[in-house]
Amino acid sequence: MAAVRGRPRGFDADEALDKAIEVFWRQGYEGTTLDDLTGAMGINRPSLYAAFGNKEATFKRAVDRYAEIDMAYVGEALAQPTARAVAEHYLRSNVVAITQPGKPAGCLSVQGGLAGSPEDQRIVRFLADSRAAGERRFVERFRRARAEGDLPAGESPTELARYLSTVSAGLAVQAAAGASRRSLMAVAERALRAFPASGS
């Protein structure tokens, strides 16, 4: 069977996608060109289209992989035994993730969506929908915590989830602007005061 034309020998789709993630992360969706992508991924345009589709499709694939690999801590956080432990694991892991040496500072889903042109609004909406889906997972977890008596009966799971989402987005923006891990961790610790201590 003939090899796909234009695809280099030894082409690894996941490796190429990891390179695309870094480009989108550093430059945002709007600031990234097809030449940027093919240059970083080590493939030509026919290979890009064959493996991933156009720029928008490649970005969506990159976000999915980023969520699976770089944000695996979200699932770990949701599995914690108490609402407080969920928030602690999520925010502390988030700070580590957005200040990882050797990777762009901040968060792909925040940096990637800083797009202003009308044709990029689909990407802005895609990222907003992705964040909303993630937020709903926390809403469900906090509802369970409230039902179990781990959170006060009057506590709003929706507000708590939105609070976590807003804090993490703010942390990402600050990280991208050069804030240190230590300073961001202090912010995360202060934010955790909104959650009752385990067993209280």
Side-chain angles (χ1 to χ4, degrees), residues 161-181:
R162 177 64 52 83
Y163 175 73
L164 268 188
S165 176
T166 302
V167 170
S168 66
L171 290 171
V173 170
Q174 292 294 321
S180 69
R181 177 178 292 184

Side-chain angles (χ1 to χ4, degrees), residues 33-40 45:
T33 66
L34 284 173
D35 286 342
D36 292 331
L37 289 173
T38 55
R45 289 196 184 194

Side-chain angles (χ1 to χ4, degrees), residues 122-142:
R122 285 196 312 274
I123 290 299
V124 174
R125 173 50 49 196
F126 165 73
L127 290 171
D129 288 345
S130 296
R131 287 192 294 271
E135 199 172 293
R136 284 194 295 273
R137 296 174 69 192
F138 282 95
V139 172
E140 290 305 313
R141 178 62 185 86
F142 293 147

Side-chain angles (χ1 to χ4, degrees), residues 3-194:
V4 176
R5 186 174 179 184
R7 181 177 294 185
R9 184 178 299 173
F11 174 83
D12 184 304
D14 286 342
E15 268 186 32
L17 204 51
D18 288 340
K19 298 293 186 184
I21 287 172
E22 185 161 336
V23 174
F24 282 126
W25 198 343
R26 289 188 187 282
Q27 300 177 199
Y29 180 81
E30 186 177 27
T32 297
T33 66
L34 284 173
D35 286 342
D36 292 331
L37 289 173
T38 55
M41 297 164 85
I43 57 177
N44 56 28
R45 289 196 184 194
S47 296
L48 177 71
Y49 292 132
F52 307 109
N54 61 14
K55 176 183 167 182
E56 182 176 335
T58 302
F59 181 74
K60 289 178 177 179
R61 288 274 300 274
V63 169
D64 286 344
R65 181 162 172 81
Y66 173 81
E68 177 187 354
I69 305 299
D70 294 275
M71 295 188 68
Y73 62 86
V74 174
E76 296 168 358
L78 290 165
Q80 298 301 308
T82 66
R84 168 78 182 208
V86 167
E88 285 178 351
H89 190 93
Y90 175 67
L91 287 181
R92 290 171 181 168
S93 298
N94 177 246
V95 170
V96 171
I98 62 178
T99 56
Q100 200 69 248
K103 290 191 175 184
C107 173
L108 172 63
S109 65
V110 174
Q111 301 302 112
L114 300 178
S117 59
E119 60 267 26
D120 289 337
Q121 291 310 300
R122 285 196 312 274
I123 290 299
V124 174
R125 173 50 49 196
F126 165 73
L127 290 171
D129 288 345
S130 296
R131 287 192 294 271
E135 199 172 293
R136 284 194 295 273
R137 296 174 69 192
F138 282 95
V139 172
E140 290 305 313
R141 178 62 185 86
F142 293 147
R143 280 180 181 158
R144 179 159 65 85
R146 187 176 63 181
E148 294 170 348
D150 178 48
L151 284 174
E155 185 60 84
S156 168
T158 300
E159 288 179 6
L160 273 183
R162 177 64 52 83
Y163 175 73
L164 268 188
S165 176
T166 302
V167 170
S168 66
L171 290 171
V173 170
Q174 292 294 321
S180 69
R181 177 178 292 184
R182 182 178 179 181
S183 67
L184 295 178
M185 198 64 81
V187 173
E189 295 302 324
R190 177 167 287 273
L192 287 171
R193 296 180 189 175

